């Protein structure tokens, strides 16, 4: 029974790896041309109650611990004037160590047999054949048939329509990414405000959030509750104009904080936030299922990558536990997936209100102190 996994993100790779650990072959089809075709983003906090469990199932926990960015769990909350309101140091016991997404992906890729990931395979069409089998057509003209199809292909999944009519909807929030390189030397006051881990300078409806990365990099997310029409008026191809327009929303904020916008070493990158319904689920369709953002896209809460990896490990273990009974395995996996996803999505929405609601930043401080 050929197993096809669409998407070589963390969730799809964990699925392939845990299947491999159990002696089950799978093929991962990825649209990107190679493992290095695109930068893989910044730091991820990997949680001891889901992401780390998946890495243990994958037999990669020791390799994971070698990647930990020590000090990354430190947390600071500031007001718009740059006044420190709350600080928590990283003593190594927080249960959410930070690692580089690209390095985590690398150890997963290196753990798979050669040829497991088929690069340059952009899925364009899926044709059901009956009995749970599907033919997959790719942009370069090739096709293949599988007995199990897993959509690990993110927010705009090509596999999801086989199961569900749900489409991601804009949640009213955008994150704009910026970067300061060599921040300790070139922008010492801003680097000091950012601290060694995560920094939240937030107010109702907006915020400047950052994370310290290795080699003096401060990676920031500028949060704005704005409609899509407002965002559409900003020309993000003109970096200087985009920075000026975004900074104008923080005109009365400390220059130490707004430097994360105005002094960015690259043009700002827009990330409009979309989500699936909190209770997203589907009826069992033979031979196909979803994991990660394809199954439960939600507002950023620190859980996305963790849930995707956990989904992948749980699905692999269900398949291994029911040899020759793939529908039983998928039903067991989805029975656990749906309530887990709904709870995480509800918590993500609650966190959005804590961060940007009327009581911000004190609501966030209260959450940390609890």
């Amino acid at each position: 029974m050929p197993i096809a996994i669409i998407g070589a993100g963390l969730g799809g790779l964990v699925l392939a790896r845990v299947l491999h650990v159990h002696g089950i072959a799978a093929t991962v089809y990825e649209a990107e041309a190679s493992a290095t075709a695109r930068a893989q983003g910044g730091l991820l906090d990997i949680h001891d109650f889901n992401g780390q469990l998946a890495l243990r199932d994958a037999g990669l926990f020791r390799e994971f611990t070698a990647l930990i960015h020590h000090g990354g769990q430190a947390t600071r909350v500031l007001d718009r004037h740059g006044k420190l309101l709350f600080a928590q140091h990283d003593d190594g016991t927080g249960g959410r160590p930070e690692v580089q997404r690209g390095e985590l992906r690398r150890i997963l890729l290196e753990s798979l047999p050669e040829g497991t990931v088929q690069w340059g395979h952009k899925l364009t069409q899926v044709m059901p054949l009956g009995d749970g089998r599907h033919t997959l057509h790719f942009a370069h003209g090739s096709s293949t048939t599988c007995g199990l199809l897993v959509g690990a292909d993110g927010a705009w999944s090509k596999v999801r329509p086989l199961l569900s009519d749900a489409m991601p909807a804009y949640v009213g929030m955008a994150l704009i990414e910026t970067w300061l390189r060599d921040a300790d030397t070139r922008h010492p006051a801003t680097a000091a405000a950012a601290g060694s881990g995560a920094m939240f300078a937030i107010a109702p409806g907006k915020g400047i959030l950052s994370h310290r990365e290795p080699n003096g990099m401060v990676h920031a997310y500028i949060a704005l509750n704005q409609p899509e029409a407002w965002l559409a008026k900003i020309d993000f191809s003109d970096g200087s104009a985009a920075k000026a327009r975004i900074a104008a929303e923080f005109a009365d904020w400390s220059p130490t904080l707004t430097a994360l916008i105005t002094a960015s070493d690259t043009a700002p990158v827009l990330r409009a936030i979309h989500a699936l319904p909190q209770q997203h689920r589907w009826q069992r369709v033979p031979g196909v299922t979803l994991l990660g953002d394809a199954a439960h896209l939600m507002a950023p809460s620190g859980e996305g990558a963790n849930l995707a990896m956990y989904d992948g490990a749980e699905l692999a273990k269900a398949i291994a536990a029911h040899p020759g009974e793939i529908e039983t395995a998928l039903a067991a996996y989805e029975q656990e997936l749906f309530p887990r996803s709904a709870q995480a999505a509800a918590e993500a929405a609650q966190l959005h209100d804590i961060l940007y609601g009327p009581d911000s930043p004190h609501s966030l401080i209260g959450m940390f102190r609890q």
Side-chain angles (χ1 to χ4, degrees):
M1 182 192 65
I3 299 175
I5 303 166
I6 308 302
L10 298 178
L13 294 176
V14 166
L15 170 58
R17 169 61 184 176
V18 179
L19 287 172
H20 175 66
V21 168
H22 289 277
I24 302 171
T27 302
V28 181
Y29 297 97
E30 169 55 49
E32 292 177 358
S34 71
T36 58
R38 179 176 61 88
Q40 293 300 307
L43 288 167
L44 295 172
D45 51 325
I46 306 302
H47 304 165
D48 55 9
F49 55 89
N50 47 24
Q52 290 183 40
L53 297 180
L55 291 167
R56 289 185 185 277
D57 289 332
L60 295 172
F61 190 76
R62 182 163 55 181
E63 290 83 349
F64 155 72
T65 58
L67 303 178
I68 291 173
H69 174 57
H70 297 287
Q73 293 185 80
T75 303
R76 294 163 62 84
V77 180
L78 282 64
D79 67 11
R80 61 190 177 91
H81 303 295
K83 179 183 177 182
L84 181 64
L85 304 177
F86 175 85
Q88 187 175 60
H89 300 291
D90 181 3
D91 62 3
T93 64
R96 297 172 177 241
E98 303 275 351
V99 300
Q100 287 279 359
R101 179 189 289 268
E103 286 296 285
L104 189 56
R105 191 190 196 209
R106 176 185 60 78
I107 65 171
L108 283 163
L109 287 169
E110 291 176 351
S111 74
L112 294 171
E114 185 175 356
T116 297
V117 180
Q118 295 292 302
W119 302 101
H121 281 65
K122 181 180 180 180
L123 183 66
T124 56
Q125 186 181 21
V126 182
M127 297 185 63
L129 300 175
D131 299 325
R133 296 177 302 119
H134 295 82
T135 295
L136 313 179
H137 295 277
F138 301 100
H140 56 55
S142 73
S143 62
T144 191
T145 299
C146 62
L148 171 59
L149 173 61
V150 181
D153 49 343
W156 308 103
S157 172
K158 295 287 188 181
V159 180
R160 188 192 301 121
L162 296 171
L163 297 168
S164 167
D165 294 330
M167 289 291 292
Y170 179 60
V171 302
M173 164 64 65
L175 297 178
I176 298 107
E177 284 188 87
T178 63
W179 294 262
L180 290 187
R181 298 191 178 98
D182 196 17
D184 295 291
T185 301
R186 298 172 55 220
H187 307 283
T190 301
S196 64
M199 182 275 288
F200 300 84
I202 51 177
K206 65 180 66 175
I208 298 176
L209 294 72
S210 72
H211 214 124
R212 177 65 70 111
E213 297 191 6
N215 303 315
M217 175 80 77
V218 178
H219 184 187
Y221 291 91
I222 315 306
L224 288 170
N225 274 338
Q226 292 287 359
E228 288 183 289
W230 186 91
L231 297 170
K233 295 178 181 179
I234 302 176
D235 181 6
F236 281 90
S237 67
D238 183 341
S240 297
K243 284 189 271 189
R245 181 64 190 89
I246 296 161
E249 297 298 304
F250 299 87
D252 59 345
W253 287 47
S254 167
T256 298
L257 298 173
T258 57
L260 287 163
I261 307 169
T262 58
S264 176
D265 291 301
T266 64
V269 176
L270 174 64
R271 309 289 187 196
I273 305 304
H274 293 74
L276 288 166
Q278 288 184 16
Q279 297 289 335
H280 183 233
R281 58 181 62 209
W282 53 87
Q283 297 297 316
R284 175 91 295 282
V285 173
V288 58
T289 193
L290 305 172
L291 63 79
D293 284 350
H296 46 64
L297 181 68
M298 61 192 71
S301 63
E303 292 294 345
N306 285 280
L307 285 172
M309 291 192 293
Y310 190 77
D311 291 349
E314 292 299 294
L315 176 54
K317 291 189 294 182
I319 294 169
H322 298 90
E325 299 178 355
I326 192 61
E327 286 307 304
T328 301
L330 297 183
Y333 161 71
E334 291 174 356
Q335 183 178 9
E336 299 295 327
L337 170 72
F338 294 146
R340 177 171 72 241
S341 301
Q343 179 180 347
E347 290 171 353
Q350 182 182 22
L351 178 61
H352 182 278
D353 290 338
I354 289 171
L355 285 167
Y356 310 112
D359 296 328
S360 176
H362 302 290
S363 48
L364 180 63
I365 295 170
M367 185 190 79
F368 284 141
R369 285 182 172 157
Q370 283 184 338

